[in-house]
């Protein structure tokens, strides 16, 4: 398979060479956004796929056909990946685009364009657990080693896609500059319908009860786990080794408790306080 062992370095972060090239990253960094674009921004494993599905249903007025017939990576393609240019729909209306890139790379172009941004964050302890399991599945990511070793690299910010702390702080810092909507994975869990209503208001598309009902049903974990257009079962085993686990793994809040030792929890909490305390930002999720 192509470039499985290659790592690209861009804007100070490492990215899988199977999905990214210098050229694709340059293209992303200089992309001419339009005011009608909607950009989903996440650190990996924070609820990206969930938000892609929610916005698909929101824009289809609850019609499940696009979500059941078009893979999520074509409905909301990743800006920085090599296939983006071919996948981008040339439409006069909204374009749904996804990215994991940091704010310092995309902030200026987004500000100029007035494109809308939806930022999804998740409790970083659950992100670390989900990312660890994903490393075992995704053949384009390095072998994660033990959970303890992976967690140390996650806290240092030397994992692929860079530091969770820098990603979140960077995008939270764009509050004044961008037309940006912040939401957490935990809020989606708690009240999917309420979250969809708020998203509809932000995007200027108020949702009726039928659309909301369909969205709620179709975006449940069980429905998405069984939808081949979104559960990554279409990806061949050389790229995602499905014998190692499922992309739609557990879909719960607080799974970190099953993985973290008391020592790892204490270390994580200390690093979190050090890294998040200094920015004067109040993170809208709880760590407990
Ligand atoms: S990626 O690779 O960055 O696109 O991954 P991402 O989609 O951001 O995150 C994957 C995790 O999100 C969970 N997920 C969901 N949870 C609850 N409900 C729904 N509908 C849902 N869809 C995706 C998925 O199971 C991964 O989390 P874990 O904790 O590993 O189960």
């Amino acid at each position: 398979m192509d470039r499985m062992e290659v790592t690209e370095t861009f804007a100070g972060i490492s990215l899988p060479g199977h999905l990214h090239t210098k050229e694709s990253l340059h293209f992303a960094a200089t992309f001419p956004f339009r005011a009608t674009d909607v950009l989903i921004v996440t650190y990996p494993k924070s609820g990206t796929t969930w938000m892609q599905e929610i916005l698909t249903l929101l824009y289809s007025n609850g019609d499940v056909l696009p979500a059941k017939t078009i893979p999520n990576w074509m409905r909301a393609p990743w800006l920085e990946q090599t296939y983006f240019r071919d996948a981008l729909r040339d439409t006069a209306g909204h374009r749904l685009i996804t990215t994991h890139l940091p704010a310092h790379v995309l902030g200026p172009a987004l500000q100029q364009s007035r494109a809308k941004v939806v930022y999804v964050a998740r409790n970083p302890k659950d992100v670390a657990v989900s990312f660890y399991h994903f490393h075992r599945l995704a053949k384009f990511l390095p072998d994660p080693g033990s959970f303890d070793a992976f967690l140390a690299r996650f806290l240092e910010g030397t994992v692929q896609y860079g530091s969770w702390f820098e990603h979140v702080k960077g995008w939270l810092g764009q509050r004044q500059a961008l037309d940006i909507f912040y939401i957490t994975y935990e809020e989606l869990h708690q009240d999917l319908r309420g979250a969809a209503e708020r998203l509809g208001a932000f995007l200027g598309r108020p949702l009726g009860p039928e659309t909301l009902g369909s969205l709620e049903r179709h975006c449940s974990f069980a429905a998405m786990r069984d939808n081949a257009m979104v559960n990554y079962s279409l990806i061949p085993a050389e790229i995602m080794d499905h014998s190692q686990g499922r992309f739609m793994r557990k879909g719960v809040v607080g799974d970190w408790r099953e993985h973290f030792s008391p020592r790892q929890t204490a270390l994580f909490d200390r690093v979190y306080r050090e890294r998040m305390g200094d920015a004067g930002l109040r993170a809208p999720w709880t760590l407990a």
Side-chain angles (χ1 to χ4, degrees):
M1 262 310 140
D2 225 16
R3 291 165 50 90
M4 290 302 248
E5 307 298 328
V6 179
T7 299
E8 281 296 341
T9 306
F10 179 72
I13 57 178
S14 309
L15 295 156
H18 173 62
L19 303 170
H20 311 85
T21 58
K22 286 193 176 32
E23 201 272 329
S24 77
L25 291 161
H26 176 75
F27 186 76
T30 54
F31 184 66
F33 289 102
R34 299 177 189 161
T36 45
D37 288 339
V38 178
L39 185 68
I40 301 169
V41 184
T42 57
Y43 186 84
K45 315 324 283 184
S46 300
T48 326
T49 316
W50 204 357
M51 186 53 69
Q52 288 173 328
E53 203 75 348
I54 292 167
L55 295 188
T56 298
L57 269 282
L58 186 150
Y59 278 108
S60 73
N61 297 315
D63 180 357
V64 297
L65 195 67
K68 284 197 165 168
T69 52
I70 310 168
N72 65 314
W73 60 86
M74 295 305 283
R75 285 185 254 129
W78 264 268
L79 174 67
E80 57 272 24
Q81 295 188 9
T82 47
Y83 77 105
F84 177 70
R85 232 190 271 233
D86 298 331
L88 190 66
R89 288 179 310 122
D90 190 20
T91 157
H94 76 277
R95 299 183 297 187
L96 269 186
I97 302 171
T98 307
T99 188
H100 290 317
L101 289 178
H104 68 267
V105 173
L106 298 180
L110 285 168
Q111 200 175 339
Q112 223 174 26
S113 69
R114 301 305 296 154
K116 289 191 187 294
V117 178
V118 175
Y119 189 81
V120 191
R122 184 181 188 185
N123 184 334
K125 289 179 178 167
D126 282 339
V127 170
V129 169
S130 181
F131 208 11
Y132 172 73
H133 286 286
F134 187 58
H135 272 67
R136 300 175 49 198
L137 183 72
K139 296 289 124 197
F140 50 84
L141 290 171
D143 180 346
S146 68
F147 180 66
D148 199 53
F150 180 78
L151 194 62
R153 290 197 302 281
F154 183 86
L155 289 171
E156 273 169 18
T158 52
V159 288
Q160 302 250 348
Y161 297 93
S163 159
W164 178 90
F165 300 100
E166 295 308 313
H167 200 277
V168 170
K169 284 200 287 188
W171 284 103
L172 283 175
Q174 298 288 317
R175 199 177 284 276
Q176 306 299 338
L178 301 182
D179 195 6
I180 185 163
F181 181 93
Y182 296 102
I183 190 147
T184 60
Y185 178 93
E186 291 73 16
E187 287 170 283
L188 296 176
H189 245 277
Q190 202 173 28
D191 180 13
L192 180 58
R193 196 181 180 96
E197 278 182 311
R198 286 192 284 130
L199 275 162
F202 171 70
L203 297 170
R205 291 181 73 96
L207 307 177
E210 277 183 25
T211 300
L212 282 167
S214 167
L215 185 152
E216 260 190 310
R217 277 191 301 280
H218 189 78
C219 297
S220 71
F221 181 75
M224 286 178 59
R225 186 194 51 207
D226 295 340
N227 178 5
M229 293 298 142
V230 81
N231 65 14
Y232 285 93
S233 57
L234 297 176
I235 302 292
E238 310 89 82
I239 299 174
M240 278 195 201
D241 183 353
H242 303 287
S243 72
Q244 293 298 310
R246 302 174 106 176
F247 181 91
M248 295 286 170
R249 193 181 59 90
K250 279 195 181 173
V252 298
V253 169
D255 190 39
W256 65 269
R257 289 192 183 82
E258 308 291 322
H259 290 75
F260 278 54
S261 68
R263 185 189 59 76
Q264 288 166 339
T265 305
L267 171 67
F268 201 108
D269 290 350
R270 180 172 61 71
V271 175
Y272 186 91
R273 274 195 305 275
E274 283 169 12
R275 300 298 306 276
M276 297 306 281
D278 67 338
L281 295 163
R282 263 184 54 76
W285 55 84
T286 57
L287 259 196

